[in-house]
Structures are given as structure tokens and as C-alpha cells.
Amino acid sequence: MSKSVITIYDIARSLGISPSTVSRALKDDSIISIETRKKVKQTAREMGYQPNSIASSLRNKKTLTIGVITHRIDRHFQSNAISGIQDKAHEHGYNIIICQTNDDPTRELKQFQALFSSRIDGLISQLSMYTRDYEHFNLFLENDIPVVLFDRVPRDLDVQKVVSDDVAGGYKATEHLILQGCRRIAHFTGALSLNIYEDRLKGYKAALEKYQIPFDPELVHEFYLNTDNSWEVARKVLKDKKNRPDSIFAANDTSAIASIQVAKELGIGVPSELAVVGYANDPSGLIVSPTLSTVDQSSYRMGQIATELLLKQIDSNKPGRNRPHRTKVLPVELIIRESSSRRLP
Amino acid sequence: MSKSVITIYDIARSLGISPSTVSRALKDDSIISIETRKKVKQTAREMGYQPNSIASSLRNKKTLTIGVITHRIDRHFQSNAISGIQDKAHEHGYNIIICQTNDDPTRELKQFQALFSSRIDGLISQLSMYTRDYEHFNLFLENDIPVVLFDRVPRDLDVQKVVSDDVAGGYKATEHLILQGCRRIAHFTGALSLNIYEDRLKGYKAALEKYQIPFDPELVHEFYLNTDNSWEVARKVLKDKKNRPDSIFAANDTSAIASIQVAKELGIGVPSELAVVGYANDPSGLIVSPTLSTVDQSSYRMGQIATELLLKQIDSNKPGRNRPHRTKVLPVELIIRESSSRRLP
DNA sequence: TTGAAAGCGATACCAT
DNA sequence: ATGGTATCGCTTTCAA
């Protein structure tokens, strides 16, 4: 920083009044005469004054900043949620600091500490893939700093949570495939230790049961759902002519799209011979051909709601505001496109 | 913030020593006895001390924070650049604050001011689409806070810049199409007031000239390159049988992909009847069928380099460090995929 | 209506 | 090797 930055002392000196008056005038304190207020603001503008929020935060013990931690910012779901958070935060005069961990536990811990050191007023976070211990959350919880988790949440940590209705999502996707005439529905899922995948599987099972289709564990494939792995698993599954499924419900769109591409490669018709439904409504679902049926999670809204809950906690300025907690569950919507539409509308 | 947060005073009291000693011990100042250092760090750990970087920043006039402003964080190019920035920044002990403007000038101005108020040590920014006046940059420049711009940069603003070689990109893409036998090459471009589009067009023209193909302004279509507009323009262009181009060089991948989809819709073979090359190497280029040829800009590297340049300015602690400036130009790479491969390899 | 002064937490100069 | 103290810029209580 340069020394030439203007402070309220400079304004005060220039007007021959005290810094206190300047401070009050700048925030339109009605106790200061309208005239003085006008003069101060005018001078501030002329001198190019910009408040030092570091100083103000130190004094106020309030930074008007919300920290956001996620593993990646470049996925549709995350970036949309972040937009929701940002919009809602700005609406209430809060800024946000976005941190991405790249699913690296070391970096994640550093980010938590850095945000704590920055004395953020609250934290919104999505769990990273491999977070096993929640020690770093205690940093915030023990110091009574509000935390809201979204999407991926640990069942056993008592914090405010916002999730989407993954059971319903799994159910809707699976039921839709059944209604299209599918009977051997494969399910590609991520780590079942994560609530989101566990719940989607639950929904899948529930739909099967409802339509009296026996659950076959052989049809469930659990792996890290990136493109490479999905290609590999899809190839294995679809090449096995004898046991080949008639459809795939994938727990994310990356994996569903890879499945479609493998089917094409193997000359398997989609949706005629293989119907596919993904999850998360990524824009690339509209690029793949046939277009991908998927489940939309209204991620923008999720970000907004997480922020509302957080701000409510921040405002309720009592110790112990961090509890009790309810988990807020948002509805999902099945979006039917070509990849699963055997009967055209 | 809660009152129970531990400060160095708490540690000092608990050990019966002075805060100054604690402060020094915590940063491993060799002037403090090894014993004391050990004791202090131990106690700090036990008490759950986390430094207050607000206080430290105020005192040091240094926040160890870099601000990053971009219009959107969810595009491949931006999020990759941000990753590069983040990695390089962390390497040097800096944190980053990411802000997205959504191309909204009001929000953009607010973000600039908020970052300035946060007394960031430096700023890395991509221009937003419609930034016409650079007044807000002056806030930083006048106060001698280093700024590095990347990708979209104004020609007439004297700051450090990092761009990719868009002229070369345009040239390589166009030359490739010519070598595939194309002669009527349409060009879809964004606002030509932006350096990136202007340069890609320049490269396009240069390639035509090199191969003695007359430049036809009718083949250049300037519009905001989102999906909807691209569909519309592509339809218009491809439906005009008489003047239909034999290829399209689109200045971004969104537009190129839309063109491929329109061609499919109209029964025009890609690449046989229409070759297509995009720009930016978005992952969705691998999802569209045929896969998209495109120009890679090594965005991650761009983020890293921008950060290196910024840190260098920050470290060179003299006034006027903000100049003189050279523009750093990064090479691009043409990636040939199916959408433009008439002769298979 | 305005001003003086203490204090937020960490740091570094000056003493000892 | 350690301690006392002023300071960063802003806010707010108390006094005038």
C-alpha cells in the first residue's frame, strides 16, 4: 500500500474538524449537522477517499465478509451455487471470499485457517470428496462463527445444512427409466460414503421396489465419477453382451455423457437399446447427442438459501446461535431429453 | 466474532511474558531463545490460537492478498486461469479474493472499490465485456497498487498485460481450414472493439492473404457469442444455399458448437460439407459430435504468469513500480479434431 | 453538534 | 533475550 492513501484524518485536517466528526458524517449519522455531512462527503469525494475496511473490521470485530469453500469452482453446480451466494450476500451488504480446494486436504485446511484468520463473519462450504474428519469446522464452531454446509454434508456433524432431495432425484430418474420400459437399470455412483450418492442410490432402490423389480447389486458400480473412469466402466459394462443393462442411471452428468459416448462407439443405440439419465443438469447435457436427460438441483437457489440461513445466524447475535439445526431440503426436477425418450412425445 | 477468540495477549498472560515476545516467538525470530519459542508455540497450539490477520494487515500495511476480478468464473478459460493464479499465489504465501462481475458495470465498480477497501496488495483482472472507461483502474494505479490485466486488455491503458497470441490463433485456425481445402471461410466474432476478437480477425485475414484468397466482409459476422445468438446466426448463414460457406472459424467454442448443431439440424455434413474450428479449447468440444477442432490458450499458464508479474511488481517496492509495461504474449496451439479433419490422418 | 481519547490485535522500535 | 509502548485507521463512549 502507498502512503498517499487518504484517511479520515486527512479529511478532518483539510476541513479543520475532528476525525470523529468525519467518521460520523461519512455514515450519515443524524447527530451531525446536515451541512457538515454534506461538506465532509464532498471533500471525501474530492480527495478520492476510500474507506479502509481493514481498520474498520478490526475495530468493529465484523468484516461483513462470508467465506465460501468448495472443491472446484468450474462446475455448473458449484458456480451456480456461488452465484446464488454472491447475489444474496451483496443484497445484504456482505462480500464473499471464494476458495477452491481442488479436493486437496492440505490446501483445504490452509484455506480454513486463512479464512478464520481473516475473521470472516460466516462460512458456507461444500465438503470436499475426501474429508473424513471435521476438525477444521470446529475452528469455526467453537469460536461461535456460523457455518452452513450445502450439497455434500456429513450426517453426524451438527451444523446448518442445505441439500437437495437426492432420494427423490434418484427415485424420479429410476422411475422414469422403468416407465420407458427399462428393467435392467445400471447405476453409476460416486463414493457411497457421501450422503448425496447414498441418497441417490436409496431413491434408485425405492423405485425398483415400487415397481417390483428385484435389486441387483451387480448393476451398481461405485467409482470416482470422472470422464476417464466412466469411459472405462461403461466399456466394461456395455461390452458384456450377456449381462448388458438396458439403461444407465448415472449419479452425475460427466459419467452419463461418457456412457452415451461409449454406447456410440460400440454401436449401441441410445435411447433405443440403452436409455441414459444423468444428474445435475450440466449444460453439456445439451451438447451431447442424443441430448441428456438429467436431474436439476436448482443450485442457484441452494446458494441463496444457504446464504439466507447463514445471515440469519450471523444476525442473531447470541452465543450458541450455531444450534439447533435443521437440514433444509430442496426439491429436484427431472428433465427429460432424448437420451431416455423411447416414445417421442 | 466471538469474544473468546485467543490473542497473543492471552498467550503472554498465560506464560507470564510480554506480548512482544510472543509475537516474535510465533514468527520464529532468532532473537528469542529457542526455549521460549518452543514454549510459546506449544501454548499457542494448546490454546487454539489463530492469528488475526486483520490486525496484522493494519499494522503492516500489507494484506498478503491478491484480488482477482473476472466476469464469470464458470468458463473453462477463466476457471483455469484462476487455478493458475491461485497456485502461484499460494506458492508465495498470498491468498486470493475472487470476484465475478457477471458483466454488470455497477457490480464491477463495487467490486473494485471493495477490493481497494480491503487493501489488497495487487489486482489481476480480465476486462468485462462492456468496460469502456478505465476510471476504476485508476483507483489502484494512482495509489500505486500493482495491476495486471489478462486476456481482454485495453490497448491504450498503460498497465502490465498478459495476453495470448490471438493473431497467431486466428491465423493457425484459418490456415488449417484452407489446407483442408476450404475457400469460403465464415468468421463468427465477438465485439471487435475487444482486442481478442480484433486480433483473431487479423489472423484470419492474414491467412487468407497468404493463400491469396480474397477477403469477403460478408463472411464476417460480429455478435455476442452466446448459444442463442450463435444458433440464430448459424441458421441464417447455413440456410442461404447460394452463399453458404464451406467452413466456419468461430472465435469461441460455444459458437462453434452451436454451428455444428445447426449443421446437423439442416443435414449438412461436418466436416465434409462444413468444416468448423472454435476457440478456447473448452471441454465441451470433446462432447459434441463430431469433436471440435479448436485453439488452446494455455489459460492456466496465463494465470501463473500474470501472478508472477504481479508479485514481481509488489516486491519491487518503489513508487512508480507500476511502469513501464510490456505486454506478455503467450503462444497458442491449434488442436485438430474431427470437425475440421477432411483427410483423416 | 462536535471533539478527545481509548481500544481493536499485532508489530517493531527503543530500552534494558 | 525480553519488555514497554507507539502505531496502523476507524469507531464509539464520554465530555463539553
Side-chain angles (χ1 to χ4, degrees):
Chain A
M1 283 171 241
S2 148
K3 313 105 232 228
S4 71
V5 176
I6 306 297
T7 73
I8 55 169
Y9 285 86
D10 299 317
I11 300 175
R13 206 172 315 122
S14 140
L15 284 172
I17 58 179
S18 82
S20 350
T21 305
V22 174
S23 172
R24 284 186 274 242
L26 284 173
K27 31 187 38 168
D28 240 349
D29 191 332
S30 63
I31 211 170
I32 301 294
S33 76
I34 303 216
E35 234 179 318
T36 310
R37 278 187 257 169
K38 220 183 253 168
K39 255 195 316 193
V40 169
K41 285 190 239 166
Q42 168 71 11
T43 309
R45 217 174 305 116
E46 282 169 13
M47 300 179 75
Y49 170 77
Q50 292 288 340
N52 183 330
S53 47
I54 303 276
S56 153
S57 296
L58 180 59
R59 173 69 227 235
N60 292 334
K61 289 170 157 280
K62 187 119 177 55
T63 54
L64 291 174
T65 300
I66 292 172
V68 180
I69 296 188
T70 175
H71 59 133
R72 312 204 41 148
I73 58 172
D74 65 340
R75 299 277 178 256
H76 175 73
F77 178 81
Q78 278 79 4
S79 63
N80 260 42
I82 290 174
S83 289
I85 294 171
Q86 182 173 271
D87 290 350
K88 187 58 78 180
H90 284 173
E91 208 176 279
H92 291 261
Y94 280 75
N95 287 306
I96 69 176
I97 297 185
I98 305 163
C99 298
Q100 71 180 333
T101 64
N102 297 87
D103 270 328
D104 170 353
T106 315
R107 170 170 288 188
E108 177 167 295
L109 181 58
K110 284 227 171 119
Q111 307 267 28
F112 268 84
Q113 293 176 335
L115 286 181
F116 185 81
S117 281
S118 297
R119 297 298 188 263
I120 53 171
D121 294 330
L123 175 72
I124 296 178
S125 172
Q126 189 188 28
L127 237 53
S128 90
M129 203 51 129
Y130 300 113
T131 305
R132 277 289 130 70
D133 74 288
Y134 311 128
E135 195 50 46
H136 35 308
F137 285 107
N138 284 331
L139 188 57
F140 290 90
L141 299 176
E142 283 171 4
N143 287 293
D144 206 37
I145 295 170
V147 173
V148 174
L149 297 184
F150 71 101
D151 189 43
R152 304 168 179 183
V153 302
R155 301 215 180 277
D156 49 337
L157 187 66
D158 182 32
V159 292
Q160 183 72 255
K161 300 165 192 166
V162 184
V163 299
S164 73
D165 193 343
D166 289 295
V167 177
Y171 185 92
K172 285 183 184 185
T174 310
E175 177 178 50
H176 164 63
L177 287 170
I178 295 172
L179 294 178
Q180 297 291 310
C182 301
R183 286 300 171 270
R184 283 185 55 73
I185 306 174
H187 180 43
F188 291 179
T189 177
L192 287 170
S193 54
L194 281 176
N195 64 305
I196 53 172
Y197 297 124
E198 187 189 357
D199 283 354
R200 289 168 202 178
L201 175 59
K202 257 187 214 158
Y204 165 85
K205 285 182 179 169
L208 292 181
E209 189 171 357
K210 169 80 184 301
Y211 291 90
Q212 301 176 347
I213 299 174
F215 170 68
D216 179 358
E218 299 273 307
L219 286 171
V220 176
H221 302 266
E222 177 181 354
F223 57 98
Y224 184 69
L225 299 174
N226 62 12
T227 298
D228 287 352
N229 293 345
S230 299
W231 272 78
E232 193 183 317
V233 173
R235 275 214 184 94
K236 206 182 65 201
V237 168
L238 296 180
K239 272 185 174 165
D240 181 1
K241 287 219 172 137
K242 233 184 160 123
N243 300 308
R244 197 219 279 169
D246 56 18
S247 53
I248 296 174
F249 163 43
N252 77 11
D253 287 338
T254 302
S255 185
I257 287 171
S259 304
I260 290 177
Q261 293 183 306
V262 169
K264 268 200 243 174
E265 179 189 72
L266 299 177
I268 298 171
V270 177
S272 58
E273 298 173 89
L274 183 80
V276 179
V277 177
Y279 212 102
N281 195 16
D282 193 277
S284 46
L286 283 166
I287 290 173
V288 70
S289 168
T291 54
L292 181 66
S293 298
T294 188
V295 177
D296 185 80
Q297 303 176 273
S298 52
S299 40
Y300 180 83
R301 188 92 195 88
M302 192 181 287
Q304 286 197 309
I305 290 179
T307 311
E308 279 168 8
L309 292 173
L310 187 74
L311 291 172
K312 206 175 288 174
Q313 280 185 65
I314 291 176
D315 288 342
S316 102
N317 219 346
K318 11 180 153 118
R321 57 187 170 180
N322 247 335
R323 67 205 55 216
H325 291 306
R326 300 245 208 76
T327 296
K328 175 98 189 168
V329 180
L330 302 186
V332 296
E333 186 192 355
L334 176 67
I335 296 179
I336 300 173
R337 300 206 189 97
E338 296 164 359
S339 70
S340 68
S341 299
R342 290 191 171 167
R343 325 159 188 158
L344 292 180
Chain B
M1 282 168 237
S2 148
K3 313 106 234 238
S4 71
V5 176
I6 305 298
T7 74
I8 54 168
Y9 287 86
D10 300 318
I11 300 174
R13 205 173 315 122
S14 138
L15 285 172
I17 58 179
S18 83
S20 347
T21 304
V22 175
S23 172
R24 284 186 274 241
L26 284 174
K27 31 188 38 170
D28 239 351
D29 191 333
S30 64
I31 210 169
I32 301 293
S33 75
I34 303 213
E35 232 178 321
T36 310
R37 277 187 259 169
K38 220 182 250 166
K39 255 196 315 197
V40 168
K41 285 190 241 168
Q42 168 71 11
T43 310
R45 216 172 308 114
E46 282 169 12
M47 299 179 77
Y49 171 76
Q50 291 290 339
N52 183 332
S53 46
I54 303 276
S56 160
S57 296
L58 180 60
R59 174 67 227 232
N60 291 334
K61 287 168 159 283
K62 188 120 177 51
T63 53
L64 292 174
T65 300
I66 292 171
V68 180
I69 296 189
T70 176
H71 58 131
R72 314 203 40 148
I73 58 172
D74 64 341
R75 298 279 178 255
H76 174 73
F77 178 81
Q78 277 79 6
S79 63
N80 259 42
I82 289 175
S83 289
I85 294 170
Q86 182 173 271
D87 290 350
K88 187 57 77 179
H90 283 173
E91 209 175 277
H92 291 260
Y94 280 75
N95 287 306
I96 68 175
I97 298 185
I98 306 163
C99 298
Q100 70 180 335
T101 65
N102 296 66
D103 269 329
D104 169 354
T106 315
R107 169 171 288 188
E108 178 167 296
L109 182 57
K110 284 225 172 123
Q111 307 266 31
F112 269 85
Q113 293 176 335
L115 286 180
F116 185 82
S117 281
S118 298
R119 296 299 187 263
I120 53 172
D121 294 331
L123 174 72
I124 297 178
S125 171
Q126 190 188 28
L127 235 53
S128 89
M129 204 49 131
Y130 301 114
T131 305
R132 276 290 132 68
D133 74 288
Y134 312 127
E135 195 50 45
H136 36 306
F137 285 108
N138 285 330
L139 188 58
F140 291 90
L141 299 176
E142 283 171 6
N143 286 294
D144 206 38
I145 295 170
V147 173
V148 174
L149 295 185
F150 70 101
D151 188 46
R152 304 169 180 183
V153 304
R155 301 214 180 278
D156 50 337
L157 188 66
D158 182 33
V159 293
Q160 183 75 253
K161 300 164 192 168
V162 185
V163 299
S164 73
D165 194 342
D166 289 294
V167 177
Y171 185 90
K172 285 184 184 184
T174 309
E175 176 178 51
H176 164 63
L177 288 170
I178 294 172
L179 294 177
Q180 296 293 309
C182 300
R183 285 300 172 270
R184 283 184 56 72
I185 306 174
H187 179 43
F188 290 178
T189 178
L192 286 170
S193 54
L194 281 176
N195 64 305
I196 53 172
Y197 297 123
E198 187 190 353
D199 283 354
R200 290 168 202 177
L201 175 60
K202 256 186 215 158
Y204 165 86
K205 284 182 179 169
L208 292 181
E209 191 172 351
K210 169 83 184 299
Y211 290 88
Q212 301 175 350
I213 299 175
F215 170 68
D216 178 358
E218 298 274 307
L219 286 171
V220 176
H221 302 265
E222 178 181 354
F223 58 98
Y224 184 69
L225 298 174
N226 62 12
T227 299
D228 286 352
N229 293 344
S230 300
W231 272 78
E232 193 182 316
V233 173
R235 275 212 183 97
K236 206 181 66 199
V237 168
L238 297 180
K239 272 185 174 164
D240 181 0
K241 287 216 170 141
K242 235 185 155 120
N243 300 306
R244 197 218 279 170
D246 56 18
S247 53
I248 296 175
F249 163 43
N252 77 11
D253 287 338
T254 303
S255 185
I257 288 171
S259 303
I260 291 177
Q261 293 184 305
V262 168
K264 267 199 243 175
E265 179 189 72
L266 298 176
I268 299 170
V270 176
S272 58
E273 298 173 88
L274 182 80
V276 179
V277 177
Y279 211 103
N281 194 15
D282 193 278
S284 45
L286 283 167
I287 290 172
V288 70
S289 168
T291 53
L292 181 67
S293 297
T294 186
V295 176
D296 185 80
Q297 302 176 275
S298 53
S299 39
Y300 179 84
R301 189 90 195 90
M302 192 182 287
Q304 286 197 309
I305 290 179
T307 311
E308 280 168 8
L309 292 173
L310 187 75
L311 291 172
K312 205 175 289 175
Q313 281 185 63
I314 291 175
D315 289 340
S316 104
N317 218 346
K318 10 178 156 124
R321 57 187 170 181
N322 246 334
R323 66 207 54 218
H325 292 305
R326 299 246 208 76
T327 297
K328 174 99 188 167
V329 180
L330 302 186
V332 297
E333 187 192 355
L334 176 68
I335 297 180
I336 300 173
R337 300 208 189 96
E338 297 164 358
S339 69
S340 67
S341 299
R342 289 193 171 164
R343 326 161 187 157
L344 293 179

